[in-house]
Amino acid sequence: MSCIFCRIVNGEIPAEVIAREPDVVAFLDVQPLADGHVLVVPRAHAAAVEDLSPEAADALFRTVVRLAGPVREGLGAAGTTIGINNGEATGQTVPHVHVHIVPRWPDDGAGTVHTIFPRRTSRTLPDVGAAIRKAIG
Ligand code: 5GP
Ligand code: ZN
């Protein structure tokens, strides 16, 4: 098995584990963006969010909700930025779904989710809404 996060889930390689649950494991990022940078992963391998089973998705977000407060409080942070790089094109480097929880402080110099994007759009909201609703079916 070559997936690094599957190997962490299975205990084959070490990690600073925060929580082990039936369907989810949370551990510290080995190259933290801030103290307390946690990764929350489903035990079952899935490359992208779209590949998660409904049960795995429920369990994953339940754990994110459960850990967000303790991660913030444990580090004395003011808040957390929570995000997923979903797919290689977005910069996802480990193709096993993982939710980043990164503690934030008012003076930490980091941006918001909005700062990732240059805000380049070309279509109207109704046009885009119709396209997505059509894809939903
Ligand atoms: P991505 O860019 O795919 O959203 O983030 C992958 C994250 O996994 C990175 O922040 C990286 O530091 C972290 N990471 C990669 N390999 C390992 C590892 O072996 N152990 C741990 N704990 N984190 C890892
Ligand atoms: Zn995996």
Side-chain angles (χ1 to χ4, degrees):
M1 186 196 302
S2 61
C3 173
I4 194 99
F5 287 175
C6 281
R7 296 179 70 195
I8 288 175
V9 164
N10 293 333
E12 292 168 16
I13 62 170
E16 188 64 33
V17 173
I18 300 303
R20 279 189 202 282
E21 297 179 351
D23 297 317
V24 177
V25 177
F27 52 89
L28 294 185
D29 194 297
V30 76
Q31 290 187 292
L33 296 171
D35 289 336
H37 181 174
V38 168
L39 301 175
V40 187
V41 309
R43 282 186 185 268
H45 181 90
V49 163
E50 295 90 322
D51 303 323
L52 289 170
S53 69
E55 296 75 19
D58 286 352
L60 183 64
F61 200 66
R62 256 200 311 274
T63 304
V64 170
V65 170
R66 190 169 79 75
L67 295 182
V71 168
R72 177 175 48 76
E73 288 163 19
L75 276 298
T80 52
T81 291
I82 297 175
I84 301 173
N85 292 320
N86 192 41
E88 197 177 350
T90 71
Q92 182 183 2
T93 57
V94 179
H96 180 133
V97 174
H98 48 282
V99 181
H100 295 262
I101 305 179
V102 188
R104 297 295 305 271
W105 291 265
D107 59 349
D108 63 14
T112 71
V113 169
H114 290 68
T115 61
I116 300 171
F117 298 90
R119 198 152 187 274
R120 222 173 272 141
T121 60
S122 57
R123 293 167 64 170
T124 66
L125 296 188
D127 181 32
V128 171
I132 296 172
R133 284 190 296 271
K134 186 174 170 209
I136 292 171

